[in-house]
Amino acid sequence: MAVAAAITFTWLGLVLGISFLEAPLKFRAPGVTLPLGLGIGRLVFAALNRVEVVLAVAVWAALLLGARTTAALVAAGAVSVVLLVQLAAVRPALTRRSDRVLAGEEGPRSHAHLVYIGLEVVKVAALITLGTFALGG
């Protein structure tokens, strides 16, 4: 369970650092235009999501190969479902929207962005829960 906790808290740190620090701050940097910020964001979040998939697999391996609690398994399931929804449903909508913005199209802001942020908040809570259960197990 200690390995699962270490992986979980590493994952939590990545999500907090990128989603809640880097993402909003990059648009405040001098000279960063909307197209530049979107381009950077797409690269950063694509990399983050690939790392998250690896971390999810590692957490599941640690839980399934070692001692585990039902609570930890449920929390890992919740984190995994949130990540799956982000990757399968929300990220494609965000990519389509950023493609249109990068092509010069104007229009209303995407509601998918707010959904992604909401899911990030849920994921943070689930990661904290999972890490806590893993430490206590």
Side-chain angles (χ1 to χ4, degrees):
M1 292 287 274
V3 171
I7 296 165
T8 299
F9 287 120
T10 299
W11 185 354
L12 175 63
L14 286 168
V15 171
L16 290 173
I18 292 174
S19 295
F20 296 102
L21 286 176
E22 182 278 336
L25 289 177
K26 81 172 149 270
F27 290 101
R28 294 183 179 169
V32 175
T33 62
L34 180 60
L36 179 59
L38 288 175
I40 293 168
R42 286 170 68 154
L43 288 172
V44 169
F45 276 91
L48 172 64
N49 292 152
R50 284 191 296 274
V51 170
E52 285 185 293
V53 169
V54 170
L55 293 171
V57 169
V59 164
W60 277 106
L63 290 174
L64 296 175
L65 295 174
R68 60 194 169 274
T69 64
T70 301
L73 292 172
V74 170
V79 172
S80 298
V81 167
V82 170
L83 180 60
L84 181 64
V85 170
Q86 286 179 309
L87 296 177
V90 185
R91 280 292 309 252
L94 289 171
T95 299
R96 286 190 299 274
R97 173 69 179 139
S98 64
D99 285 345
R100 290 193 304 270
V101 170
L102 292 171
E105 183 180 315
E106 292 188 25
R109 289 190 65 149
S110 169
H111 293 292
H113 188 249
L114 296 176
V115 171
Y116 194 90
I117 292 168
L119 288 170
E120 286 291 78
V121 171
V122 172
K123 185 166 51 180
V124 163
L127 285 166
I128 291 168
T129 302
L130 173 56
T132 302
F133 285 138
L135 282 176

